[in-house]
């Protein structure tokens, strides 16, 4: 095949294409103008966002303000919530309810995965304070109910980790600051009332429930726990009325043969889960 013939043919073809493109462009422009005029005449549907309560940040139809204390609770204990970033994207969270119930200076939230002294000097100062407690269960944790400290005489700080149990464990192990305070746990935690979210076992509770039980002890006032649990109970009630289902703990589902997810292949995890169930049966 002759290369000169190919070049000439390409040039002629390109010229023809240019003319066709000009004609097509003119037709397209006319068509675009006509199409745009048709589209511009169509009614535009505006999606209106549901009105939201400024205080509880819930939709007005399911506002939780009637279940919140009229004024922030007067407490001496200061709570520091160390929150995993993934919690921010969850719609049904308990920490926002907690922050509304307490004065801003008594409930502070730090969001992140890693907390260094340089980036979080306030949190670092709190972690080094002898009056600070970290509420996180473990072999080294003391029962908060058994401490001899007089919480009413000296104001204490309590740090809580907000996230799933795997996220909380990761944050605890990877942040040296969080291992500085005295570690405590709740001995007499009741079953969670946060029934619209699945818990690992029957002894696990939400961050708000942990805070409520803790403040009831440190403030020596059991009424505080009842006040803080009211909005959580209302939240779950509203969700159940609108189609949500009660979530049993993973432990409960396994024990009753209702756990449909694939069990872990790791033998250590299986033994730990079986030991947990056995201990609950004793």
């Amino acid at each position: 095949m002759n290369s000169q013939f190919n070049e000439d043919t390409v040039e002629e073809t390109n010229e023809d294409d240019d003319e066709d493109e000009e004609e097509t462009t003119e037709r397209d422009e006319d068509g675009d103008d006509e199409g745009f005029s048709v589209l511009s005449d169509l009614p535009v549907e505006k999606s209106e966002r549901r009105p939201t309560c400024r205080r509880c940040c819930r939709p007005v139809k399911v506002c939780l303000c009637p279940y919140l204390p009229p004024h922030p609770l007067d407490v001496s204990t200061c709570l520091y919530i160390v929150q995993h970033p993934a919690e921010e994207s969850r719609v049904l969270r308990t920490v926002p309810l907690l922050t509304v119930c307490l004065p801003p200076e008594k409930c502070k939230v730090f969001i992140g995965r890693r907390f260094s002294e340089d980036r979080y000097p306030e949190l670092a100062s709190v972690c080094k304070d002898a009056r600070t407690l970290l509420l996180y269960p473990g072999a080294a944790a003391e029962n908060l109910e058994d401490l001899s400290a007089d919480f009413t005489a000296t104001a204490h700080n309590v740090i809580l980790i907000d996230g799933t149990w795997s996220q909380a464990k990761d944050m605890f192990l990877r942040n040296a600051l969080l291992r500085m305070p005295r570690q405590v746990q709740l001995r007499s935690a009741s079953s969670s009332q946060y029934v619209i979210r699945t818990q690992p076992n029957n002894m696990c509770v939400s961050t708000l429930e942990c805070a409520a039980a803790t403040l009831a002890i440190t403030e020596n006032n059991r009424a505080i726990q009842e006040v803080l649990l009211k909005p959580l109970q209302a939240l779950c009630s509203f969700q159940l009325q609108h189609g949500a289902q009660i979530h049993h703990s993973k432990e409960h589902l396994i024990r009753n043969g209702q756990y449909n997810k694939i069990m872990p292949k790791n033998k250590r995890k299986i033994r730990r889960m079986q030991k947990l169930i056995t201990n609950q049966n004793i």
Side-chain angles (χ1 to χ4, degrees):
M1 185 177 291
N2 191 291
S3 60
Q4 183 64 38
F5 173 78
N6 289 339
E7 292 176 3
D8 293 341
T9 305
V10 170
E11 289 178 1
E12 292 176 1
T13 304
N14 288 340
E15 290 176 359
D16 293 339
D17 289 343
D18 292 340
E19 293 177 359
D20 291 340
E21 286 179 4
E22 290 178 1
E23 294 178 0
T24 304
T25 303
E26 292 177 359
R27 290 195 300 269
D28 289 345
E29 288 176 354
D30 293 339
D32 289 344
D33 292 340
E34 183 179 354
F36 179 76
S37 61
V38 173
L39 291 174
S40 62
D41 293 336
L42 293 175
V44 179
E45 295 183 2
K46 296 182 179 180
S47 58
E48 296 183 0
R49 188 176 181 180
R50 291 186 299 174
T52 304
C53 174
R54 292 185 178 182
R55 187 186 181 199
C56 68
C57 299
R58 297 290 299 158
V60 174
K61 289 186 177 180
V62 288
C63 177
L64 297 175
C65 288
Y67 306 93
L68 298 173
H71 304 287
L73 299 178
D74 183 16
V75 295
S76 60
T77 307
C78 187
L79 300 182
Y80 289 85
I81 313 297
V82 180
Q83 186 180 80
H84 191 278
E87 285 297 309
E88 285 189 288
S89 61
R90 295 185 182 275
V91 178
L92 304 174
R93 298 175 292 159
T94 64
V95 169
L97 298 178
L98 181 61
T99 57
V100 175
C101 294
L102 299 174
E105 68 275 10
K106 295 298 183 181
C107 186
K108 301 182 180 182
V109 181
F110 296 89
I111 301 173
R113 291 184 178 87
R114 304 292 178 263
F115 300 91
S116 64
E117 187 171 352
D118 295 336
R119 293 184 60 187
Y120 298 90
E122 181 182 359
L123 180 62
S125 177
V126 171
C127 289
K128 295 177 181 179
D129 193 329
R131 299 169 300 172
T132 299
L133 304 173
L134 173 72
L135 187 65
Y136 185 79
E142 304 173 69
N143 293 329
L144 181 61
E145 299 90 335
D146 299 337
L147 295 186
S148 58
D150 187 358
F151 298 108
T152 57
T154 305
H156 281 66
N157 308 309
V158 179
I159 300 175
L160 298 94
I161 305 177
D162 183 44
T164 64
W165 281 98
S166 59
Q167 291 167 351
K169 181 180 180 181
D170 179 74
M171 292 168 68
F172 174 72
L173 294 177
R174 293 180 180 272
N175 288 280
L177 284 179
L178 298 181
R179 296 195 298 276
M180 289 183 178
R182 190 176 184 180
Q183 187 179 345
V184 297
Q185 62 187 3
L186 294 172
R187 179 190 61 195
S188 57
S190 56
S191 297
S192 177
Q193 298 186 40
Y194 193 22
V195 295
I196 55 177
R197 187 168 174 178
T198 304
Q199 304 291 353
N201 61 66
N202 295 336
M203 299 302 293
C204 295
V205 294
S206 67
T207 303
L208 183 144
E209 291 171 299
C210 281
T214 299
L215 289 176
I217 297 171
T218 59
E219 300 295 316
N220 195 24
N221 186 352
R222 296 294 173 181
I224 290 179
Q225 186 171 10
E226 298 177 6
V227 172
L228 291 177
L229 290 181
K230 280 184 179 180
L232 176 64
Q233 294 165 350
L235 171 65
C236 294
S237 177
F238 281 137
Q239 291 303 121
L240 293 174
Q241 291 173 17
H242 289 80
Q245 295 181 347
I246 293 178
H247 287 222
H248 295 289
S249 69
K250 186 184 297 184
E251 173 197 343
H252 174 89
L253 296 176
I254 294 174
R255 182 183 298 171
N256 291 275
Q258 300 172 343
Y259 191 69
N260 297 323
K261 295 184 180 180
I262 299 175
M263 292 291 289
K265 294 182 179 180
N266 190 308
K267 292 182 179 179
R268 184 178 298 177
K269 289 184 178 180
I270 295 175
R271 286 197 299 268
R272 186 164 61 242
M273 196 169 293
Q274 290 173 341
K275 183 178 179 181
L276 177 65
I277 295 174
T278 302
N279 291 339
Q280 292 296 322
N281 288 331
I282 296 176

